Amino acid sequence: MPSVNVKIKYSSTGGTPNATTTTSVQVSSKTPTESEVSAAIKKKNPKWNFIILEIK
């Protein structure tokens, strides 16, 4: 499975997103949809509240 880097604004406690980071997630294709990336982030970090800024 390919992986993509995703720049997100997030809160690790579930509050208002206020920190920015880049994380890598595994997806099913090299050109994933935003919903697929979002699901992968939620699976990896279930307590995070986040906004996707960029999929690289």
Short mmCIF file of all heavy atoms in Angstrom, two decimals:
data_model
loop_
_atom_site.label_atom_id
_atom_site.label_comp_id
_atom_site.label_asym_id
_atom_site.label_seq_id
_atom_site.Cartn_x
_atom_site.Cartn_y
_atom_site.Cartn_z
N MET A 1 0.84 -1.18 0.00
CA MET A 1 0.00 0.00 0.00
C MET A 1 0.89 1.25 0.00
O MET A 1 1.83 1.33 0.77
CB MET A 1 -0.89 0.03 1.24
CG MET A 1 -1.94 -1.04 1.28
SD MET A 1 -2.97 -0.93 2.77
CE MET A 1 -4.17 0.25 2.22
N PRO A 2 0.57 2.20 -0.84
CA PRO A 2 1.35 3.44 -0.84
C PRO A 2 1.04 4.30 0.38
O PRO A 2 0.00 4.12 1.03
CB PRO A 2 0.90 4.15 -2.13
CG PRO A 2 -0.40 3.54 -2.48
CD PRO A 2 -0.44 2.18 -1.89
N SER A 3 1.95 5.19 0.69
CA SER A 3 1.70 6.13 1.79
C SER A 3 1.81 7.55 1.26
O SER A 3 2.49 7.79 0.26
CB SER A 3 2.68 5.90 2.93
OG SER A 3 3.99 6.19 2.52
N VAL A 4 1.11 8.46 1.91
CA VAL A 4 1.16 9.87 1.54
C VAL A 4 1.46 10.68 2.79
O VAL A 4 1.14 10.27 3.90
CB VAL A 4 -0.16 10.36 0.90
CG1 VAL A 4 -0.40 9.72 -0.44
CG2 VAL A 4 -1.35 10.14 1.82
N ASN A 5 2.09 11.82 2.59
CA ASN A 5 2.32 12.77 3.68
C ASN A 5 1.17 13.76 3.69
O ASN A 5 0.74 14.22 2.63
CB ASN A 5 3.64 13.51 3.49
CG ASN A 5 4.82 12.60 3.70
OD1 ASN A 5 4.81 11.75 4.58
ND2 ASN A 5 5.85 12.76 2.90
N VAL A 6 0.68 14.06 4.86
CA VAL A 6 -0.47 14.95 5.00
C VAL A 6 -0.13 16.04 6.01
O VAL A 6 0.28 15.75 7.13
CB VAL A 6 -1.71 14.16 5.51
CG1 VAL A 6 -2.93 15.06 5.49
CG2 VAL A 6 -1.94 12.92 4.68
N LYS A 7 -0.29 17.29 5.61
CA LYS A 7 -0.10 18.42 6.52
C LYS A 7 -1.46 18.70 7.14
O LYS A 7 -2.45 18.90 6.44
CB LYS A 7 0.41 19.63 5.76
CG LYS A 7 0.75 20.80 6.65
CD LYS A 7 1.38 21.94 5.85
CE LYS A 7 1.75 23.09 6.74
NZ LYS A 7 2.34 24.19 5.95
N ILE A 8 -1.49 18.69 8.48
CA ILE A 8 -2.77 18.90 9.18
C ILE A 8 -2.61 19.91 10.30
O ILE A 8 -1.53 20.13 10.83
CB ILE A 8 -3.31 17.58 9.77
CG1 ILE A 8 -2.30 16.94 10.74
CG2 ILE A 8 -3.71 16.61 8.70
CD1 ILE A 8 -2.83 15.73 11.49
N LYS A 9 -3.73 20.53 10.63
CA LYS A 9 -3.84 21.35 11.83
C LYS A 9 -4.67 20.49 12.78
O LYS A 9 -5.72 19.98 12.40
CB LYS A 9 -4.54 22.66 11.51
CG LYS A 9 -4.49 23.67 12.60
CD LYS A 9 -5.01 25.01 12.12
CE LYS A 9 -4.62 26.09 13.10
NZ LYS A 9 -5.01 27.41 12.62
N TYR A 10 -4.17 20.28 14.01
CA TYR A 10 -4.82 19.30 14.87
C TYR A 10 -4.80 19.68 16.35
O TYR A 10 -4.07 20.56 16.77
CB TYR A 10 -4.13 17.94 14.70
CG TYR A 10 -2.80 17.87 15.41
CD1 TYR A 10 -2.69 17.18 16.61
CD2 TYR A 10 -1.67 18.50 14.91
CE1 TYR A 10 -1.48 17.11 17.29
CE2 TYR A 10 -0.47 18.45 15.58
CZ TYR A 10 -0.38 17.76 16.77
OH TYR A 10 0.81 17.71 17.44
N SER A 11 -5.63 18.95 17.09
CA SER A 11 -5.60 18.97 18.54
C SER A 11 -5.60 17.51 18.98
O SER A 11 -6.50 16.75 18.61
CB SER A 11 -6.82 19.67 19.11
OG SER A 11 -6.89 19.44 20.51
N SER A 12 -4.60 17.10 19.74
CA SER A 12 -4.51 15.70 20.16
C SER A 12 -5.50 15.37 21.28
O SER A 12 -5.73 14.21 21.59
CB SER A 12 -3.09 15.38 20.62
OG SER A 12 -2.74 16.19 21.71
N THR A 13 -6.12 16.39 21.88
CA THR A 13 -7.07 16.16 22.96
C THR A 13 -8.52 16.25 22.50
O THR A 13 -9.44 16.10 23.30
CB THR A 13 -6.86 17.18 24.09
OG1 THR A 13 -7.04 18.49 23.57
CG2 THR A 13 -5.47 17.05 24.69
N GLY A 14 -8.75 16.52 21.22
CA GLY A 14 -10.10 16.61 20.69
C GLY A 14 -10.68 18.01 20.72
O GLY A 14 -11.82 18.22 20.32
N GLY A 15 -9.90 18.99 21.17
CA GLY A 15 -10.37 20.37 21.21
C GLY A 15 -10.22 21.06 19.86
O GLY A 15 -10.13 20.41 18.82
N THR A 16 -10.18 22.37 19.86
CA THR A 16 -10.01 23.15 18.64
C THR A 16 -8.60 22.95 18.09
O THR A 16 -7.63 23.11 18.83
CB THR A 16 -10.24 24.64 18.93
OG1 THR A 16 -11.54 24.81 19.48
CG2 THR A 16 -10.13 25.47 17.66
N PRO A 17 -8.48 22.59 16.81
CA PRO A 17 -7.15 22.39 16.22
C PRO A 17 -6.32 23.67 16.30
O PRO A 17 -6.77 24.73 15.88
CB PRO A 17 -7.44 22.02 14.77
CG PRO A 17 -8.83 21.49 14.79
CD PRO A 17 -9.54 22.26 15.86
N ASN A 18 -5.11 23.58 16.87
CA ASN A 18 -4.28 24.77 17.01
C ASN A 18 -2.80 24.51 16.76
O ASN A 18 -1.99 25.41 16.83
CB ASN A 18 -4.46 25.40 18.40
CG ASN A 18 -4.10 24.43 19.51
OD1 ASN A 18 -3.68 23.31 19.25
ND2 ASN A 18 -4.30 24.86 20.74
N ALA A 19 -2.43 23.25 16.45
CA ALA A 19 -1.04 22.92 16.15
C ALA A 19 -0.97 22.34 14.75
O ALA A 19 -1.92 21.71 14.29
CB ALA A 19 -0.51 21.92 17.16
N THR A 20 0.14 22.55 14.07
CA THR A 20 0.32 22.05 12.71
C THR A 20 1.43 21.02 12.69
O THR A 20 2.46 21.19 13.34
CB THR A 20 0.67 23.21 11.75
OG1 THR A 20 -0.37 24.18 11.83
CG2 THR A 20 0.77 22.73 10.32
N THR A 21 1.20 19.94 11.97
CA THR A 21 2.20 18.89 11.82
C THR A 21 2.03 18.20 10.48
O THR A 21 1.03 18.40 9.79
CB THR A 21 2.12 17.86 12.96
OG1 THR A 21 3.26 17.02 12.92
CG2 THR A 21 0.87 17.01 12.86
N THR A 22 3.00 17.38 10.13
CA THR A 22 2.91 16.54 8.94
C THR A 22 2.98 15.09 9.42
O THR A 22 3.83 14.74 10.22
CB THR A 22 4.06 16.83 7.97
OG1 THR A 22 3.98 18.20 7.57
CG2 THR A 22 3.95 15.98 6.72
N THR A 23 2.06 14.28 8.93
CA THR A 23 2.02 12.87 9.29
C THR A 23 1.94 12.03 8.03
O THR A 23 1.50 12.52 6.98
CB THR A 23 0.84 12.57 10.25
OG1 THR A 23 0.93 11.22 10.70
CG2 THR A 23 -0.49 12.79 9.58
N SER A 24 2.36 10.80 8.11
CA SER A 24 2.33 9.88 6.97
C SER A 24 1.28 8.82 7.24
O SER A 24 1.23 8.27 8.35
CB SER A 24 3.71 9.25 6.79
OG SER A 24 3.69 8.35 5.70
N VAL A 25 0.43 8.54 6.25
CA VAL A 25 -0.59 7.50 6.40
C VAL A 25 -0.60 6.61 5.18
O VAL A 25 -0.26 7.04 4.08
CB VAL A 25 -2.01 8.10 6.62
CG1 VAL A 25 -2.11 8.81 7.95
CG2 VAL A 25 -2.41 9.03 5.49
N GLN A 26 -0.99 5.35 5.37
CA GLN A 26 -1.09 4.42 4.26
C GLN A 26 -2.48 4.51 3.64
O GLN A 26 -3.48 4.58 4.35
CB GLN A 26 -0.83 2.99 4.73
CG GLN A 26 0.62 2.75 5.09
CD GLN A 26 0.92 1.28 5.30
OE1 GLN A 26 0.02 0.49 5.54
NE2 GLN A 26 2.18 0.94 5.21
N VAL A 27 -2.50 4.52 2.30
CA VAL A 27 -3.75 4.62 1.55
C VAL A 27 -3.76 3.56 0.46
O VAL A 27 -2.75 2.90 0.20
CB VAL A 27 -3.91 6.03 0.94
CG1 VAL A 27 -4.15 7.07 2.02
CG2 VAL A 27 -2.70 6.42 0.12
N SER A 28 -4.89 3.39 -0.21
CA SER A 28 -5.00 2.32 -1.20
C SER A 28 -4.48 2.70 -2.59
O SER A 28 -4.21 1.83 -3.40
CB SER A 28 -6.46 1.87 -1.31
OG SER A 28 -7.27 2.94 -1.74
N SER A 29 -4.35 4.01 -2.87
CA SER A 29 -3.85 4.43 -4.18
C SER A 29 -2.94 5.63 -4.04
O SER A 29 -2.92 6.29 -3.00
CB SER A 29 -5.02 4.78 -5.11
OG SER A 29 -5.66 5.95 -4.67
N LYS A 30 -2.19 5.93 -5.09
CA LYS A 30 -1.27 7.06 -5.04
C LYS A 30 -2.00 8.40 -5.09
O LYS A 30 -1.43 9.43 -4.77
CB LYS A 30 -0.26 6.98 -6.19
CG LYS A 30 0.75 5.88 -6.01
CD LYS A 30 1.80 5.90 -7.10
CE LYS A 30 2.82 4.79 -6.88
NZ LYS A 30 3.88 4.81 -7.87
N THR A 31 -3.24 8.40 -5.54
CA THR A 31 -4.05 9.62 -5.58
C THR A 31 -5.32 9.42 -4.74
O THR A 31 -6.40 9.25 -5.28
CB THR A 31 -4.42 9.99 -7.04
OG1 THR A 31 -5.06 8.86 -7.64
CG2 THR A 31 -3.20 10.38 -7.84
N PRO A 32 -5.17 9.42 -3.42
CA PRO A 32 -6.31 9.13 -2.54
C PRO A 32 -7.27 10.31 -2.45
O PRO A 32 -6.90 11.46 -2.69
CB PRO A 32 -5.65 8.89 -1.20
CG PRO A 32 -4.43 9.75 -1.25
CD PRO A 32 -3.96 9.69 -2.68
N THR A 33 -8.50 10.00 -2.08
CA THR A 33 -9.47 11.06 -1.84
C THR A 33 -9.24 11.64 -0.44
O THR A 33 -8.61 11.01 0.41
CB THR A 33 -10.91 10.52 -1.92
OG1 THR A 33 -11.07 9.54 -0.88
CG2 THR A 33 -11.19 9.90 -3.28
N GLU A 34 -9.76 12.82 -0.22
CA GLU A 34 -9.62 13.44 1.10
C GLU A 34 -10.30 12.60 2.18
O GLU A 34 -9.79 12.48 3.28
CB GLU A 34 -10.21 14.85 1.07
CG GLU A 34 -9.95 15.64 2.33
CD GLU A 34 -10.37 17.09 2.24
OE1 GLU A 34 -10.35 17.66 1.14
OE2 GLU A 34 -10.72 17.64 3.29
N SER A 35 -11.42 11.98 1.84
CA SER A 35 -12.13 11.17 2.83
C SER A 35 -11.33 9.91 3.19
O SER A 35 -11.34 9.47 4.34
CB SER A 35 -13.53 10.80 2.34
OG SER A 35 -13.46 10.04 1.16
N GLU A 36 -10.61 9.34 2.21
CA GLU A 36 -9.78 8.17 2.51
C GLU A 36 -8.62 8.55 3.43
O GLU A 36 -8.30 7.84 4.38
CB GLU A 36 -9.23 7.56 1.21
CG GLU A 36 -8.39 6.33 1.45
CD GLU A 36 -7.80 5.72 0.19
OE1 GLU A 36 -8.00 6.27 -0.91
OE2 GLU A 36 -7.11 4.70 0.33
N VAL A 37 -8.02 9.70 3.17
CA VAL A 37 -6.92 10.19 4.01
C VAL A 37 -7.44 10.50 5.41
O VAL A 37 -6.82 10.14 6.41
CB VAL A 37 -6.26 11.43 3.37
CG1 VAL A 37 -5.26 12.06 4.33
CG2 VAL A 37 -5.57 11.06 2.07
N SER A 38 -8.59 11.13 5.49
CA SER A 38 -9.20 11.46 6.79
C SER A 38 -9.47 10.19 7.59
O SER A 38 -9.18 10.13 8.79
CB SER A 38 -10.49 12.23 6.56
OG SER A 38 -11.10 12.56 7.77
N ALA A 39 -9.99 9.16 6.94
CA ALA A 39 -10.27 7.90 7.62
C ALA A 39 -8.98 7.25 8.13
O ALA A 39 -8.96 6.69 9.23
CB ALA A 39 -11.01 6.95 6.68
N ALA A 40 -7.92 7.34 7.34
CA ALA A 40 -6.63 6.76 7.74
C ALA A 40 -6.05 7.49 8.95
O ALA A 40 -5.50 6.87 9.86
CB ALA A 40 -5.65 6.80 6.57
N ILE A 41 -6.20 8.81 8.99
CA ILE A 41 -5.71 9.59 10.13
C ILE A 41 -6.52 9.24 11.38
O ILE A 41 -5.98 9.06 12.46
CB ILE A 41 -5.75 11.10 9.85
CG1 ILE A 41 -4.80 11.46 8.70
CG2 ILE A 41 -5.39 11.90 11.10
CD1 ILE A 41 -4.96 12.89 8.20
N LYS A 42 -7.85 9.14 11.23
CA LYS A 42 -8.71 8.80 12.37
C LYS A 42 -8.39 7.41 12.91
O LYS A 42 -8.43 7.18 14.11
CB LYS A 42 -10.18 8.86 11.95
CG LYS A 42 -10.70 10.26 11.82
CD LYS A 42 -12.15 10.28 11.40
CE LYS A 42 -12.60 11.70 11.13
NZ LYS A 42 -13.98 11.74 10.62
N LYS A 43 -8.04 6.49 12.03
CA LYS A 43 -7.68 5.14 12.46
C LYS A 43 -6.35 5.15 13.22
O LYS A 43 -6.19 4.48 14.23
CB LYS A 43 -7.58 4.21 11.25
CG LYS A 43 -7.31 2.78 11.59
CD LYS A 43 -7.32 1.91 10.35
CE LYS A 43 -7.05 0.45 10.72
NZ LYS A 43 -7.02 -0.40 9.53
N LYS A 44 -5.41 5.96 12.73
CA LYS A 44 -4.08 6.05 13.34
C LYS A 44 -4.11 6.83 14.66
O LYS A 44 -3.41 6.49 15.60
CB LYS A 44 -3.13 6.72 12.34
CG LYS A 44 -1.69 6.76 12.75
CD LYS A 44 -0.84 7.37 11.63
CE LYS A 44 0.61 7.47 12.01
NZ LYS A 44 1.41 8.07 10.93
N ASN A 45 -4.92 7.89 14.70
CA ASN A 45 -5.00 8.77 15.88
C ASN A 45 -6.46 9.07 16.20
O ASN A 45 -6.96 10.15 15.89
CB ASN A 45 -4.25 10.09 15.60
CG ASN A 45 -2.81 9.86 15.24
OD1 ASN A 45 -2.01 9.46 16.05
ND2 ASN A 45 -2.48 10.10 13.98
N PRO A 46 -7.16 8.13 16.82
CA PRO A 46 -8.62 8.28 17.00
C PRO A 46 -9.06 9.46 17.87
O PRO A 46 -10.19 9.93 17.72
CB PRO A 46 -9.05 6.95 17.63
CG PRO A 46 -7.80 6.34 18.17
CD PRO A 46 -6.66 6.88 17.35
N LYS A 47 -8.20 9.96 18.76
CA LYS A 47 -8.60 11.06 19.64
C LYS A 47 -8.36 12.44 19.03
O LYS A 47 -8.77 13.44 19.60
CB LYS A 47 -7.87 10.96 20.97
CG LYS A 47 -8.28 9.75 21.77
CD LYS A 47 -7.61 9.71 23.11
CE LYS A 47 -8.07 8.51 23.91
NZ LYS A 47 -7.44 8.45 25.22
N TRP A 48 -7.68 12.49 17.89
CA TRP A 48 -7.35 13.78 17.28
C TRP A 48 -8.56 14.43 16.64
O TRP A 48 -9.39 13.78 16.02
CB TRP A 48 -6.27 13.62 16.21
CG TRP A 48 -4.89 13.43 16.75
CD1 TRP A 48 -4.53 13.13 18.02
CD2 TRP A 48 -3.67 13.51 16.00
NE1 TRP A 48 -3.17 13.02 18.12
CE2 TRP A 48 -2.62 13.26 16.90
CE3 TRP A 48 -3.39 13.78 14.67
CZ2 TRP A 48 -1.30 13.27 16.50
CZ3 TRP A 48 -2.07 13.78 14.28
CH2 TRP A 48 -1.04 13.53 15.18
N ASN A 49 -8.64 15.74 16.77
CA ASN A 49 -9.56 16.57 16.01
C ASN A 49 -8.68 17.32 15.03
O ASN A 49 -7.74 17.98 15.45
CB ASN A 49 -10.31 17.53 16.94
CG ASN A 49 -11.34 18.34 16.20
OD1 ASN A 49 -11.82 17.94 15.15
ND2 ASN A 49 -11.69 19.50 16.74
N PHE A 50 -8.93 17.20 13.72
CA PHE A 50 -7.98 17.76 12.76
C PHE A 50 -8.65 18.33 11.52
O PHE A 50 -9.81 18.02 11.21
CB PHE A 50 -6.96 16.70 12.34
CG PHE A 50 -7.58 15.49 11.68
CD1 PHE A 50 -7.78 15.45 10.31
CD2 PHE A 50 -7.99 14.42 12.44
CE1 PHE A 50 -8.37 14.36 9.71
CE2 PHE A 50 -8.58 13.32 11.86
CZ PHE A 50 -8.76 13.30 10.48
N ILE A 51 -7.90 19.16 10.81
CA ILE A 51 -8.28 19.74 9.53
C ILE A 51 -7.14 19.44 8.57
O ILE A 51 -5.98 19.75 8.86
CB ILE A 51 -8.48 21.26 9.63
CG1 ILE A 51 -9.57 21.59 10.64
CG2 ILE A 51 -8.80 21.86 8.26
CD1 ILE A 51 -9.61 23.07 11.03
N ILE A 52 -7.44 18.84 7.42
CA ILE A 52 -6.40 18.54 6.43
C ILE A 52 -6.08 19.83 5.68
O ILE A 52 -6.96 20.49 5.14
CB ILE A 52 -6.87 17.46 5.45
CG1 ILE A 52 -7.07 16.13 6.19
CG2 ILE A 52 -5.86 17.30 4.30
CD1 ILE A 52 -7.68 15.03 5.34
N LEU A 53 -4.81 20.21 5.68
CA LEU A 53 -4.36 21.40 4.97
C LEU A 53 -3.81 21.07 3.59
O LEU A 53 -4.01 21.82 2.64
CB LEU A 53 -3.29 22.14 5.79
CG LEU A 53 -3.70 22.56 7.20
CD1 LEU A 53 -2.51 23.16 7.93
CD2 LEU A 53 -4.85 23.54 7.15
N GLU A 54 -3.08 19.95 3.50
CA GLU A 54 -2.44 19.59 2.23
C GLU A 54 -2.13 18.10 2.21
O GLU A 54 -1.69 17.53 3.21
CB GLU A 54 -1.14 20.39 2.09
CG GLU A 54 -0.39 20.13 0.81
CD GLU A 54 0.91 20.94 0.73
OE1 GLU A 54 1.27 21.64 1.71
OE2 GLU A 54 1.57 20.86 -0.30
N ILE A 55 -2.39 17.47 1.07
CA ILE A 55 -2.01 16.06 0.86
C ILE A 55 -0.87 16.07 -0.14
O ILE A 55 -1.00 16.58 -1.24
CB ILE A 55 -3.19 15.25 0.32
CG1 ILE A 55 -4.37 15.29 1.32
CG2 ILE A 55 -2.77 13.81 0.04
CD1 ILE A 55 -5.65 14.68 0.79
N LYS A 56 0.28 15.53 0.27
CA LYS A 56 1.48 15.55 -0.58
C LYS A 56 1.74 14.18 -1.17
O LYS A 56 1.61 13.20 -0.54
CB LYS A 56 2.69 15.99 0.23
CG LYS A 56 2.53 17.35 0.85
CD LYS A 56 3.74 17.67 1.70
CE LYS A 56 3.56 18.98 2.42
NZ LYS A 56 4.66 19.31 3.29
#
